[in-house]
Amino acid sequence: MANGRVVQTADRTLGSRQLAALLPSEVRARPGYRAIADAVRTLILDGRIALHVRLPAERELAEALAASRATVTGAYDLLRESGYVRSRRGSGTWTELPEGHGPVGAHLLAGSGGYLPDGEPGIDLAIAALGAPEDSLTEALAWAAPRLPRLARSPGYHPFGLPDLRSAVAERFTRRGLATRPEQILVTAGAQQAFSLVVSLLCGPGDRVVTESPTYANALDALRHARLRTGSIAVSDAGWDMEIAESTLRQTVPRLAYVIPDFHNPTGLLMPPEQRLRLLAATRRTGTWLVVDETIADIALDVPAPAPLASLAPRGGAEHVVTIGSLSKTHWGGLRVGWVRATAKMITELAAVKVAADMTGSVLDQLVAQPLLEGLERTLPARLALLREQREALVAALERHTPEWSWERGPGGLSLWVDLGEPVSSALAERAGACGVHIGRGARFGVDPGTFEHRLRIPYTLAADRLDEAVRRLAAAFHDGVPLAPAVERPHWVA
């Protein structure tokens, strides 16, 4: 594609101009062979260059970079030696992963959720989610148990989701200010599947889409895997620049726009009502589908939870809005239950796509989810109180161990978007891994290559003592006396 952000073409060949456009500007300006190899490795690990894609010929890439062929040959040699590409005579050079590496996006760090070789426990800061609320989960299981036998007498296929759960999701939307009927709800295996289904239905390879930058890393992965051209709307510490957003929509006329207006991941910001109205109007003018991710909308720590964005549209003015959500952040990521809220016609079309992907969702998960969702207003306050305490513990740890770092405290969400003061996020994440702290580097959340190298997303979803220990280890890695330099890391999965 012209902008170089989507590299999976029909014949799985990456053009020289495409690859050159993906490389960071400093590499393009001074294309040394090691810098090229390091940049390509990072792009493969991030999923920006897909696996089993043919890279451009050495001569063609040398011309695109205004470099010598020997420089590109040296870069390809390093990539072959490290296992990131393989070459076949007469066939070209193809991307792959070294022996021992799992798929891009896999959770691979040995210390994550487990232990280092010396037995010291690892700390996982890559996942911004709480463990399950044991009392509520136990109650939900007890509620579901006597109801399961009745459902078990049927074949168990419910492509739209269990009717009672669809009704419960629709009722909750209605209580929050967006009138919704059960036929406007599709139950999915989490919000990630919901988003992937929407993208699969609405977009084709090469279509333009727009997201915030930074944004949810796994959503970016889904867009890249769908071979879409991705543009961005910047989200700074001050929030969304709606004039730039409107200009981007007007100039690119994207097929789809993906936003997280409610306690944005990773910044925790909340989009003001007037900006929501402008976004609704701008996407309607350009004929752009607006996908609103409400996965974190209930994590309101300092302000009331917002009404659904689509509820602000005038009557009939929100048919282009698709809302997705799940129980992963309010309850438990291990309970794979999410949903899509859209027009009844689109829900029928999405159900057909879902059937082709996985036939139906888990009946047991959906049965357990119903009382959890219906009892959310009763159980959520305790979860929010815990998160406020843990946020304060993280702030105190950062002030104690890394006073030179900075951050803005959003009114909700699950993490702080921390500014390191220098572009060393990747190197710090690599070094922190050796200290038993698994954390996603800032660039995982950026649309464009090389962005947010000065940022880390640090969730406050662990206990206070674990947060303090994690920040202490991060600080030790940051201050260990050896200058941090750009580094290529192993694949980091974040949630």
Side-chain angles (χ1 to χ4, degrees):
M1 304 305 167
N3 66 358
R5 293 183 186 127
V6 177
V7 301
Q8 298 169 299
T9 57
D11 59 358
R12 300 192 68 78
T13 297
L14 179 59
S16 58
R17 291 184 180 179
Q18 290 175 285
L19 179 51
L22 282 168
L23 299 177
S25 57
E26 62 270 20
V27 175
R28 295 196 302 270
R30 301 183 63 183
Y33 75 100
R34 289 189 181 276
I36 295 172
D38 285 348
V40 171
R41 276 196 295 262
T42 299
L43 291 167
I44 293 171
L45 290 173
D46 278 349
R48 296 174 192 269
I49 296 178
L51 299 178
H52 312 301
V53 163
R54 185 168 59 191
L55 296 179
E58 295 170 4
R59 176 182 54 80
E60 295 173 356
L61 183 57
E63 291 177 359
L65 293 173
S68 70
R69 182 169 179 175
T71 296
V72 176
T73 298
Y76 278 22
D77 285 344
L78 281 179
L79 290 167
R80 275 188 288 269
E81 291 169 7
S82 56
Y84 286 89
V85 303
R86 55 181 169 79
S87 297
R88 295 199 303 263
R89 186 180 299 276
S91 178
T93 299
W94 298 74
T95 59
E96 63 179 14
L97 285 177
E99 188 72 25
H101 279 67
V104 172
H107 198 312
L108 296 178
L109 189 70
S112 174
Y115 293 85
L116 295 171
D118 61 4
E120 187 179 3
I123 301 175
D124 197 335
L125 288 180
I127 299 177
L130 292 165
E134 293 184 14
D135 291 346
S136 298
L137 188 59
T138 299
E139 292 173 4
L141 286 166
W143 182 92
R147 292 167 172 81
L148 184 59
R150 177 179 59 82
L151 291 171
R153 288 192 286 270
S154 74
Y157 291 90
H158 300 271
F160 290 88
L162 289 181
D164 288 348
L165 181 57
R166 296 178 74 197
S167 294
V169 175
E171 183 181 348
R172 188 155 197 280
F173 270 111
T174 300
R175 289 201 309 270
R176 295 174 57 222
L178 180 60
T180 302
R181 304 185 308 277
E183 56 265 35
Q184 292 180 269
I185 300 297
L186 175 71
V187 179
T188 62
Q192 184 69 12
Q193 186 192 55
F195 182 59
S196 295
L197 291 173
V198 170
V199 169
S200 177
L201 175 68
L202 298 181
C203 301
D207 280 349
R208 294 183 181 274
V209 298
V210 167
T211 78
E212 299 146 324
S213 190
T215 191
Y216 182 50
N218 293 326
L220 289 175
D221 288 343
L223 296 174
R224 292 174 188 131
H225 286 210
R227 298 179 293 174
L228 303 176
R229 293 185 289 172
T230 310
S232 62
I233 299 170
V235 180
S236 69
D237 287 339
W240 292 258
D241 188 325
M242 200 49 61
E243 289 188 6
I244 292 178
E246 290 169 332
S247 175
T248 299
L249 289 165
R250 186 170 58 251
Q251 292 174 17
T252 62
V253 192
R255 175 71 174 163
L256 179 149
Y258 168 77
V259 296
I260 312 172
D262 307 316
F263 315 122
H264 174 263
N265 185 358
T267 67
L269 296 172
L270 180 65
M271 183 182 287
E274 61 274 14
Q275 292 191 352
R276 295 169 182 247
L277 288 169
R278 291 174 67 178
L279 182 62
L280 280 166
T283 49
R284 187 169 176 82
R285 282 195 301 269
T286 57
T288 299
W289 291 101
L290 179 59
V291 180
V292 179
D293 188 340
E294 283 196 339
T295 307
I296 313 181
D298 288 307
I299 312 300
L301 302 181
D302 301 328
V303 295
L309 186 147
S311 68
L312 299 181
R315 185 175 180 83
E319 291 189 352
H320 69 299
V321 181
V322 180
T323 305
I324 62 177
S326 81
L327 292 177
S328 296
K329 306 303 185 183
T330 55
H331 287 83
W332 187 37
L335 193 66
R336 302 309 301 155
V337 173
W339 50 82
V340 182
R341 191 270 182 198
T343 64
K345 178 177 182 295
M346 178 177 286
I347 292 300
T348 300
E349 295 170 347
L350 284 169
V353 177
K354 186 177 187 300
V355 167
D358 70 355
M359 295 295 290
T360 190
S362 164
V363 170
L364 181 56
D365 280 19
Q366 293 180 54
L367 194 59
V368 172
Q370 183 181 333
L372 291 176
L373 183 66
E374 292 174 342
L376 184 60
E377 276 69 25
R378 175 175 57 85
T379 59
L380 187 60
R383 301 280 273 179
L384 298 183
L386 175 64
L387 284 168
R388 292 186 192 100
E389 292 176 4
Q390 293 177 178
R391 183 179 60 177
E392 293 309 309
L394 176 58
V395 168
L398 290 168
E399 291 175 342
R400 179 162 51 252
H401 299 299
T402 56
E404 66 271 51
W405 295 356
S406 61
W407 58 90
E408 294 292 330
R409 193 184 320 207
L414 295 162
S415 60
L416 297 180
W417 187 230
V418 176
D419 190 334
L420 306 176
E422 50 186 304
V424 294
S425 175
S426 293
L428 179 57
E430 182 78 5
R431 190 178 289 178
C435 301
V437 177
H438 179 51
I439 191 165
R441 62 195 183 90
R444 279 287 284 129
F445 302 87
V447 173
D448 300 304
T451 53
F452 304 115
E453 268 297 316
H454 61 301
R455 293 280 192 171
L456 282 180
R457 186 192 72 167
I458 307 182
Y460 37 83
T461 50
L462 299 178
D465 60 334
R466 299 297 282 162
L467 288 171
D468 186 76
E469 176 62 15
V471 175
R472 187 193 67 77
R473 295 187 194 185
L474 285 172
F478 188 76
H479 296 127
D480 77 348
V482 179
L484 287 161
V488 176
E489 62 169 350
R490 299 173 69 183
H492 276 177
W493 181 80
V494 297

